Structures are given as structure tokens and as C-alpha cells.
Amino acid sequence: MSCTREADSGLTAGEAAKRNDLATRKPYVAAKLARITEMEERGEISPIIRVEKSYLCNFQCTHCSAEYYMDRHFKKVFKIADERRKIDLDDIRELSRQADELGLARFVITGGEPLVMKDFDAVVEAIDPDRHYIITDTNGWFLDAARARHLKSIGVEKVQLSLDSMVEAEHDAFRNKKGSYKRVMRAIDAALEAGLNLILSTVLVKGRASTAEFREMCRFCAERGIGLYVSYAKPTGSCTEHPEFVIDKQDADLVRELEKQYPVFTHMTPSYGSFKGCITVKGIITVTSTGEVTPCPYIDFSLGNLRETPLAEILARGMRNPWLGPHRPDCLIGEDPQFIRIHTEKTRGATHLPLRWGEGFSDQDSLLEA
């Protein structure tokens, strides 16, 4: 696969064709996407919004970062019903409206496993595929040809599919689900045949970047014309119990070298001439099942709850924060030892995450003295 980009737009020919197709089908969405660079040049931000409406999942992955967001954990500890109010479709419609007013354009439906959600189609409708570019994460178990065509028909544009090893037994063991590797391979074909944009997502644990298996995955993606998103194992969620998973600088440097040869990228990879560095708030936010907004999928401190604080103010809080707002070339939760220590200490013993605004992040406590 050629990775050569057109000089005038920063896009490959294939990417340009996809954008032209989107402009024909959804001109409003395409126009918003095209304005992202202009917004950033003006000093504005345009983060992707990840929506975690449900944490239901048919897997129990070894590296899950959502363990302490799940109701089953809270109920197991306290042996009581969880009375915290969950976001509903009206909340998602309101989030969509506020995001649209701010010029934000991209939503990811995540979890949990989104394709087990009974109201998945209603969530897509609530976000509104005519106003926003909609992506879904999936482990691929339920993504057959019919389901892929259905996703495309209701307005989903892109699928991010998890694959954690090219060795079948390793992937199945990491996902604790026998047969999951075969389902992923089926899902790859199904998504491409349905005309969905597709990227593979893989978790990089310590030492994996130098293995023959990882090189094989890079080659596989290049041959199929699929991007490979590499997510670093970080010291949060279930990985707090597996410190041996957490990558080091050597792993990160190897991935940066592979980016030059293969369609491989991480959350730190420059895109179309834009280098945000650490993408907290600036490039991504997560909305949890109870309406809390976190600046990164791996940082368990909320910037506020959408039922209490408008999205614009929550984003402004994040950009005022000395850890999150300024440009930084390293990954805050993956590479900053001071912040990792603070995050670990504050979340230790927590029975439900994220910590609410004021308990982790706050305007009064910059954490610098923590």
C-alpha cells in the first residue's frame, strides 16, 4: 500500500476519494471535518467524543481499562443496587446539539462492546449521522456481513476493530475468548465488503513491538489497506494489576520507526500536518455512562458532568488545567512518572471511577502539589 500523500491536501488518493464520497452523501458532516484544521489554526480545539453509554461486554479482556467503570464491580463491592443515573437517549441528543454548536464533528460509540447494546441503532440516531461522523469500536464477535451492511445503512461510517495478536491462540488468550481471532478475521472482510472505513486497533504490551508477530500485523494491515492503531498498555484499569504489560521508551521508539514503513499510528502520531502531542482534551474526550467527561480514556479524573456543566465549560476547564491544556510531546498517563504516581494514589481504593470534578482535577487543585 502506498502511503504517499498528495502535496496539496496531505491526503492519500484513497483518503481523498473517501472524503469526496462523504461530501456527496453528507455535505454538512464533510464540511465540518474540513474545518477542523482551520479551527486548530485559530487555537480552537476539535476533540473526538467517545460515548460509553454501556459497559456491557461479551468479553473479559486481561487488559480492560473499564473495570472500575462497570456497574458489576460497584455492586459486587457494596452488594447494593447502583442508584447513579445513567445517560439516556435525550442526554445523547443534547450532547450532539452542544457538540454541533461548537463545530465538533466526530463521535465514537464505545463501551464495553457496543454491538451487544440493544439500543445501538437508537444511539446512532440520537447522535445524528447527518450532523456528525460516527465511528464504532468493536471486538468483532458480532460483526458478520449482514451486521456490517446494517451499520453502514444506519449511518455508521467507520469501524475500529480490535486485534491483539496475529497468533490465533495468543489473541484468544489475551481476550479470554476462544474463537475470537476467527471472528475478527471474518469481521475484517465483512466491514470492507460493506464499504465501511476500517482500522484495526491493537494493545501494545511491553516487548511486543520488537516481535516477529507485531511485524506480521503491520505487514498484514499494509497488504489489506487498513490502518493499524496502536494503543499503549497504561498503568490504569486492569493493567494496574499487570505492571509487566506497561511499555517503556524502547517500545514507543520502535513503533515510531515502524510508522515510517507501515500504516501504523498511535494517539501521538502527527496527522495531516497537525501534531497535538498528548491529545488530552485537545484531541479526545470520553463521556461515561453516568455523564462524566474525562480527558482521555485512561485518565480516571472527571472534568465535570454534562448534566451539571455545559460541554463548552468542561472543555474550557480541561484547557485551563496545567497538565492537560499545554502542548506536551509525551503521553501524560503513559510517560509522566509524576502524574502516574498522583493518578495511582488518588484512584487507589476507589470503588467507582472516574473521580468526580473536585476529587481529582479541579480549578483550585492543579495537582502540582499533590
Side-chain angles (χ1 to χ4, degrees):
M1 183 184 92
S2 171
C3 292
T4 303
R5 296 191 177 276
E6 296 179 356
D8 59 337
S9 65
L11 302 175
T12 65
E15 290 164 343
K18 289 177 181 178
R19 292 203 177 190
N20 289 336
D21 172 63
L22 184 68
T24 300
R25 294 183 292 107
K26 299 178 180 180
Y28 182 75
V29 175
K32 284 208 298 183
L33 290 171
R35 287 195 293 269
I36 289 174
T37 300
E38 297 174 15
M39 292 175 66
E40 292 178 349
E41 288 174 350
R42 294 196 299 267
E44 301 171 18
I45 60 172
S46 183
I48 296 169
I49 302 175
R50 300 173 72 254
V51 178
E52 299 175 339
K53 183 175 184 293
S54 169
Y55 299 109
L56 290 174
C57 189
N58 59 317
F59 284 16
Q60 289 189 332
C61 299
T62 305
H63 59 291
C64 182
S65 62
E67 176 69 22
Y68 288 89
Y69 288 68
M70 295 180 183
D71 298 335
R72 64 178 173 82
H73 181 84
F74 184 88
K75 293 175 182 177
K76 180 175 69 174
V77 172
F78 289 100
K79 297 182 173 59
I80 59 173
D82 183 1
E83 297 179 353
R84 292 168 301 116
R85 182 184 160 199
K86 305 294 192 299
I87 57 174
D88 56 25
L89 295 176
D90 285 338
D91 293 318
I92 293 174
R93 291 186 189 98
E94 175 59 19
L95 172 61
S96 171
R97 184 193 67 77
Q98 291 186 43
D100 191 41
E101 285 188 351
L102 295 172
L104 308 187
R106 297 163 292 176
F107 274 75
V108 178
I109 304 172
T110 186
E113 167 51 40
L115 298 190
V116 304
M117 294 164 51
K118 293 181 179 179
D119 61 351
F120 180 90
D121 290 16
V123 171
V124 172
E125 183 179 14
I127 294 172
D128 190 350
D130 288 325
R131 286 204 287 181
H132 299 286
Y133 188 88
I134 299 179
I135 306 159
T136 188
D137 290 338
T138 179
N139 58 39
W141 190 265
F142 299 106
L143 189 61
D144 58 13
R147 191 69 182 274
R149 289 193 296 269
H150 177 74
L151 293 182
K152 182 72 173 180
S153 73
I154 64 174
V156 174
E157 295 291 337
K158 188 173 186 177
V159 168
Q160 181 166 304
L161 183 60
S162 299
L163 177 64
D164 286 310
S165 178
M166 292 301 293
V167 178
E168 182 173 352
E170 289 181 359
H171 173 85
D172 288 1
F174 203 53
R175 292 277 162 178
N176 291 313
K177 192 77 167 181
K178 188 175 181 180
S180 60
Y181 177 88
K182 287 185 172 66
R183 294 285 184 114
V184 172
M185 292 299 157
R186 180 191 68 175
I188 290 171
D189 292 336
L192 293 174
E193 289 169 4
L196 290 162
N197 291 333
L198 175 66
I199 60 173
L200 293 187
S201 173
T202 195
V203 174
L204 192 77
V205 298
K206 187 174 182 179
R208 185 179 173 217
S210 62
T211 65
E213 175 275 323
F214 187 67
R215 294 272 182 158
E216 182 183 354
M217 183 175 288
C218 294
R219 286 192 293 269
F220 173 83
C221 289
E223 290 166 1
R224 297 297 303 269
I226 303 168
L228 177 61
Y229 173 66
V230 178
S231 176
Y232 297 158
K234 301 176 181 69
T236 62
S238 294
C239 277
T240 57
E241 300 169 9
H242 293 279
E244 72 276 11
F245 287 172
V246 179
I247 72 161
D248 57 22
K249 185 177 185 300
Q250 182 179 359
D251 294 303
D253 288 345
L254 282 170
V255 173
R256 281 188 276 269
E257 287 301 311
L258 290 170
E259 289 177 16
K260 300 174 183 177
Q261 185 177 357
Y262 299 104
V264 175
F265 61 100
T266 72
H267 64 297
M268 300 291 290
T269 304
S271 177
Y272 308 133
S274 171
F275 178 53
K276 300 180 183 66
C278 188
I279 61 174
T280 49
V281 186
K282 301 174 281 295
I284 200 164
I285 58 171
T286 295
V287 179
T288 74
S289 65
T290 54
E292 302 291 343
V293 179
T294 66
C296 163
Y298 303 100
I299 294 178
D300 301 320
F301 297 166
S302 175
L303 293 169
N305 192 291
L306 287 169
R307 293 197 188 90
E308 303 164 358
T309 309
L311 178 60
E313 173 54 24
I314 287 174
L315 295 177
R317 281 177 179 175
M319 293 305 291
R320 290 194 299 267
N321 185 285
W323 291 98
L324 307 174
H327 179 277
R328 55 182 302 149
D330 59 338
C331 172
L332 177 60
I333 190 59
E335 299 180 77
D336 189 307
Q338 183 187 14
F339 184 79
I340 291 170
R341 176 183 58 79
I342 292 168
H343 186 272
T344 301
E345 291 175 354
K346 283 182 174 282
T347 57
R348 182 179 292 120
T351 55
H352 193 82
L353 295 173
L355 299 181
R356 288 177 57 84
W357 173 249
E359 298 173 9
F361 289 130
S362 74
D363 277 330
Q364 290 70 41
D365 177 13
S366 70
L367 303 181
L368 292 175
E369 302 301 323

